[in-house]
Amino acid sequence: MLAFMAFVFGAIPFIDAMIVQYVDDRMRSRVAGIRLAVGFGVSSLAVKAAGFTTLLTLLAALAACTTFFAALLPTYAPKPTVVPAPAPAPEPAT
């Protein structure tokens, strides 16, 4: 699950970095706006096509599956590492 969340939230700065690197400064705000408009447009079309209740039910089922499979993950408790104490310094010769 951590890897999945890293991929999901890692995509946002990656896309922004791609826009910064490859889009001219004069067009950057337009491209970022188009990206948001497409994202919101697709999500609104999904709600319009499938219905709000259907999408919420689908998201609830997905959340329940995620919770179920997360509960099946094995527990892991790392074993404590024992670090040996440093050897005492030799006494100076007199």
Side-chain angles (χ1 to χ4, degrees):
M1 280 189 354
L2 289 176
F4 176 76
M5 293 308 295
F7 287 134
V8 168
F9 288 109
I12 296 168
F14 177 74
I15 293 171
D16 291 340
M18 295 294 285
I19 289 174
V20 168
Q21 185 173 1
Y22 293 110
V23 177
D24 186 37
D25 290 342
R26 295 172 292 185
M27 295 293 293
R28 191 172 297 148
S29 64
R30 292 181 190 138
V31 171
I34 290 170
R35 182 178 72 91
L36 288 173
V38 167
F40 287 132
V42 169
S43 63
S44 67
L45 287 176
V47 169
K48 189 175 183 179
F52 195 69
T53 305
T54 303
L55 288 177
L56 280 181
T57 304
L58 181 67
L59 288 174
L62 183 63
C65 289
T66 303
T67 304
F68 174 73
F69 285 112
L72 293 178
L73 290 173
T75 58
Y76 172 73
K79 296 178 181 175
T81 305
V82 178
V83 178
E91 296 198 18
T94 54

